Amino acid sequence: MPVDYSLVRSTESQEEDIYDVEKSPLQSTYRFLFVKQALSPRFWLNLWAIFNTIFTPIREDGAERYVNTRYKPDKIFQSPPTEEVDAAWHNWLRDNDHLVRVSGYKAKELGLPEAVQLYKDPGYHAYGLGVYHQMHCLSRLRKSFYPDRYYPNASQHEILHHTNHCFDVLRQAILCHGDISLVYWWNQNYTHIDETGARHYTEEYLRRTPEERVTGSFVTWDSEVQCRDMHAINAWVKGNKIDDNDYGGQVVD
């Protein structure tokens, strides 16, 4: 449901700019103190984000949290199929990917799209989180490179139909979230750490020309990044999930 906001000047103070932010159509009022000083672009960006938030049950319950972390390569998820690799993908989805129950009242209040009712949970409807659908798609794409191992009885049409769907799902998710962490070009052989912990350029780096240093570098992505806390998300889902056994059991694919 679209929600409009307007700033209404308050007459309570002559010393500060105080505004009541009126939210319609629910007419809830939020108060913000705008001091007479130059405000940073980040302030206005955060304020805009507050007023334009799309509310979901997990956000309503306060389970949307952020953590500062760093990307780092994980060999198990960069490896060709083995029993160990398959278990890593399968277990993550098995442990976390569940349908969740949302009451009809809450779904209507939040303007969620209509979903089927859960016949063993009267008054509740079936929903899931996009992150799990995307991880499912990533897993399917991985398996599509090895059809003889994972889909020996499926036709090429069946495999490609699901694969093409997943390409578009992930394309839109990547563009939606617009990761603004920085990648950079470097070569790990350009530096070394001595026994005291000090960092030094290597002979390889020093003997190269600036052009050779560029052409000998590789895109590197182990940057600092702010992420949603998946532990908090997974915990919320576990607290609101349906009983898989009531609906034929969990299917991990």
Side-chain angles (χ1 to χ4, degrees):
M1 170 170 34
V3 178
D4 297 322
Y5 294 85
S6 59
L7 292 176
V8 181
R9 182 65 180 268
S10 171
T11 59
E12 294 182 13
S13 173
Q14 302 299 319
E15 300 300 325
E16 300 162 326
D17 284 344
I18 300 178
Y19 293 87
D20 290 333
V21 181
E22 293 188 349
K23 174 183 175 184
S24 60
L26 300 180
Q27 297 301 317
S28 298
T29 301
Y30 302 89
R31 291 178 52 77
F32 293 90
L33 181 64
F34 290 175
V35 181
K36 291 181 178 177
Q37 61 182 9
L39 297 173
S40 70
R42 178 173 292 185
F43 172 86
W44 294 112
L45 180 62
N46 291 338
L47 189 62
W48 180 91
I50 291 173
F51 293 162
N52 289 275
T53 296
I54 296 174
F55 284 96
T56 68
I58 193 169
R59 186 170 281 155
E60 282 267 296
D61 291 347
E64 182 188 36
R65 303 169 192 165
Y66 290 84
V67 293
N68 293 331
T69 184
R70 180 183 291 274
Y71 288 138
K72 58 182 179 181
D74 191 330
K75 186 174 179 60
I76 193 72
F77 292 105
Q78 297 185 10
S79 300
T82 64
E83 293 300 321
E84 182 183 14
V85 170
D86 287 349
W89 286 91
H90 179 89
N91 292 347
W92 194 94
L93 289 167
R94 180 201 62 200
D95 292 345
N96 301 303
D97 185 8
H98 300 279
L99 290 178
V100 296
R101 308 182 315 160
V102 178
S103 70
Y105 169 80
K106 179 58 69 175
K108 185 175 181 180
E109 179 185 44
L110 296 177
L112 301 182
E114 184 177 7
V116 294
Q117 294 190 45
L118 293 166
Y119 54 88
K120 291 199 174 182
D121 296 270
Y124 288 87
H125 298 252
Y127 291 89
L129 297 189
V131 62
Y132 302 132
H133 181 210
Q134 293 150 25
M135 284 295 292
H136 154 78
C137 267
L138 189 59
S139 178
R140 286 281 308 204
L141 286 177
R142 180 187 75 91
K143 292 178 178 179
S144 72
F145 285 96
Y146 312 97
D148 292 341
R149 179 183 179 92
Y150 297 109
Y151 308 117
N153 299 317
S155 68
Q156 185 179 32
H157 172 77
E158 291 172 323
I159 295 173
L160 288 179
H161 176 75
H162 208 141
T163 297
N164 292 335
H165 155 79
C166 285
F167 274 128
D168 193 32
V169 167
L170 294 177
R171 179 189 69 85
Q172 293 194 43
I174 290 169
L175 294 177
C176 172
H177 292 286
D179 186 352
I180 58 173
S181 65
L182 296 179
V183 298
Y184 58 98
W185 277 257
W186 191 245
N187 186 324
Q188 292 182 347
N189 294 327
Y190 285 171
T191 57
H192 74 93
I193 307 297
D194 67 20
E195 60 276 6
T196 68
R199 181 173 175 269
H200 303 278
Y201 290 120
T202 62
E203 288 296 326
E204 179 179 351
Y205 176 86
L206 295 173
R207 73 168 178 263
R208 292 191 177 199
T209 66
E211 181 179 354
E212 289 172 336
R213 291 168 186 166
V214 171
T215 57
S217 64
F218 308 92
V219 65
T220 308
W221 49 278
D222 59 342
S223 302
E224 290 184 347
V225 65
Q226 186 175 76
C227 301
R228 284 191 174 95
D229 185 347
M230 279 306 304
H231 294 296
I233 292 172
N234 292 336
W236 182 88
V237 168
K238 287 180 173 64
N240 292 273
K241 70 182 181 72
I242 68 170
D243 186 337
D244 297 318
N245 294 327
D246 284 345
Y247 299 93
Q250 184 188 28
V251 177
V252 178
D253 182 13

